[in-house]
Amino acid sequence: MLIKVLGSAAGGGFPQINCNCRNCADARAGKPGLQSRTQSSLAVSSDGAAWILLNASPDLRQQVDATPELAPPAEAGARGSPIKAVVLTNGDVDHLAGLLSLREGFALTIYATGRVLATLAANRIFDVLDPRLVERVQLPIATPVGLACGGASLGLSLEAFPVPGKVALYLEDASAGPGLGTQAGDTIGLRISEPGSGAAFLYIPGCAAVDQALADRLRNAPLVFFDGTLYDDEEMISQGLSSKTGQRMGHISMLGAEGSIAAFRGLGVERRIFVHINNSNPVLRRDSSERRAVEEAGWEVAFDGMEIRL
Ligand code: MLT
Ligand code: MN
Ligand code: ZN
């Protein structure tokens, strides 16, 4: 199984269009130790020919352009794409807007929970994906499904599981109280496995907390890509970027007793990689003390183009 990180940044990317935070300003100025990043997405393949996108980011065209494996294969004739499926982990703009760039008329399967499929159905712009070519499949929870396109197996199995999270920003309902209308199925994690080889990994780009059920899932996993949005729950506020904490955005932070670094300690996860990294996060600076701290804790910081073979 081959995994490619297409985009390692959170919503907005890095540097972000309107952001003058220290990271964004320095990246824009070309200072060393800061690498641009596109928005959150992975690509995975069993055979290296047919590819599945885990989330479809608004930067999809740029990501495909930077990834030779995703170019139209010569055998396809005049038109064709190795992208055969997209799996969505929530309804956030950074995870589904890329669907609109897949409207060029080729067969594809979209996998998502009923909640996220309802968002697609409620927004007619997604009907630009021709229903005769693009199938929408509802993911069951905690039941593995074989990924397929047009009835042909893609060689990988997928299990969706619920994780603590928050409904997409544009669906927040203040009148619904503290959860803002969040329901089961709004945020999922994925376990992707290859029945042929037994290789497997977990992908959890959005997660508000590591509860007992999630800790049990994570235990002894060989590889986990995990929500690395913020280093510190208050960093958006202290940098003057936003009035929201990470918790308010539905994202666990790296630091602290309730943070991801502490939560993973003792779970025996062999390889831990942060993805969905916000532009405010100091780990984006290669020479920062925060970067050193996460690496000393056994974590890697994903970058665009990162490739892993399992
Ligand atoms: C998030 O991860 O919290 C969202 O992508 C935020 C957004 O929609 O910009
Ligand atoms: Mn996001
Ligand atoms: Zn910024």
Side-chain angles (χ1 to χ4, degrees):
M1 177 158 48
L2 191 59
I3 305 162
K4 296 207 74 160
V5 176
L6 300 183
S8 52
F14 178 56
Q16 175 174 312
I17 282 183
N18 65 333
C19 193
N20 248 332
C21 75
R22 180 163 170 248
N23 281 347
C24 285
D26 285 352
R28 218 172 269 122
K31 288 222 175 119
L34 288 146
Q35 191 177 343
S36 294
R37 284 167 159 84
T38 62
Q39 294 167 80
S40 179
S41 175
L42 259 56
V44 58
S45 176
S46 173
D47 62 4
W51 288 81
I52 297 140
L53 302 184
L54 307 182
N55 291 317
S57 105
D59 302 320
L60 181 58
R61 203 205 66 85
Q62 180 187 345
Q63 294 169 340
V64 169
D65 219 30
T67 311
E69 293 90 334
L70 298 182
E75 315 83 77
R79 288 200 163 159
S81 172
I83 299 171
K84 302 297 178 193
V86 179
V87 187
L88 304 173
T89 60
N90 59 23
D92 285 356
V93 172
D94 56 344
H95 283 161
L96 57 69
L99 290 176
L100 299 175
S101 300
L102 295 170
R103 69 189 179 286
E104 309 292 1
F106 59 96
L108 191 71
T109 311
I110 299 171
Y111 294 90
T113 63
R115 284 278 288 171
V116 174
L117 288 182
T119 296
L120 297 183
N123 287 276
R124 285 201 53 201
I125 194 170
F126 292 105
D127 293 347
V128 75
L129 295 158
D130 185 346
R132 290 166 302 180
L133 292 169
V134 181
E135 195 188 349
R136 301 181 187 185
V137 176
Q138 182 172 341
L139 277 177
I141 293 293
T143 306
V145 294
L147 295 175
C149 180
S153 167
L154 299 174
L156 294 174
S157 174
L158 171 82
E159 184 181 348
F161 51 91
V163 299
K166 184 185 71 57
V167 71
L169 184 59
Y170 57 88
L171 295 175
E172 284 184 5
D173 174 8
S175 69
L180 301 163
T182 302
Q183 290 181 29
D186 281 331
T187 311
I188 55 171
L190 307 176
R191 179 177 189 272
I192 312 283
S193 59
E194 188 177 45
S197 66
F201 71 97
L202 302 183
Y203 173 56
I204 310 167
C207 181
V210 178
D211 60 11
Q212 194 55 51
L214 180 54
D216 291 342
R217 281 230 170 240
L218 293 168
R219 196 163 287 116
N220 300 324
L223 169 63
V224 178
F225 292 92
F226 195 75
D227 186 338
T229 309
L230 301 184
Y231 184 72
D232 180 327
D233 193 50
E234 306 245 339
E235 82 193 32
M236 302 278 288
I237 301 170
S238 61
Q239 294 183 40
L241 305 174
S242 160
S243 57
K244 289 182 185 173
T245 61
Q247 277 306 301
R248 171 62 184 80
M249 297 191 292
H251 294 291
I252 191 172
S253 35
M254 298 174 178
L255 196 66
E258 304 289 315
S260 51
I261 293 174
F264 273 65
R265 228 168 251 142
L267 291 180
V269 177
E270 221 166 287
R271 197 166 173 192
R272 286 153 271 170
I273 303 176
F274 282 124
V275 291
H276 192 277
I277 304 158
N278 196 55
N279 51 75
S280 57
N281 193 321
V283 306
L284 289 175
R285 310 181 78 87
R286 207 178 298 139
D287 58 359
S288 67
S289 57
E290 293 86 352
R291 175 66 161 267
R292 208 160 41 245
V294 304
E295 287 176 351
E296 278 168 6
W299 285 81
E300 294 169 68
V301 175
F303 53 91
D304 291 15
M306 185 181 201
E307 190 178 304
I308 292 174
R309 211 172 273 275
L310 287 182

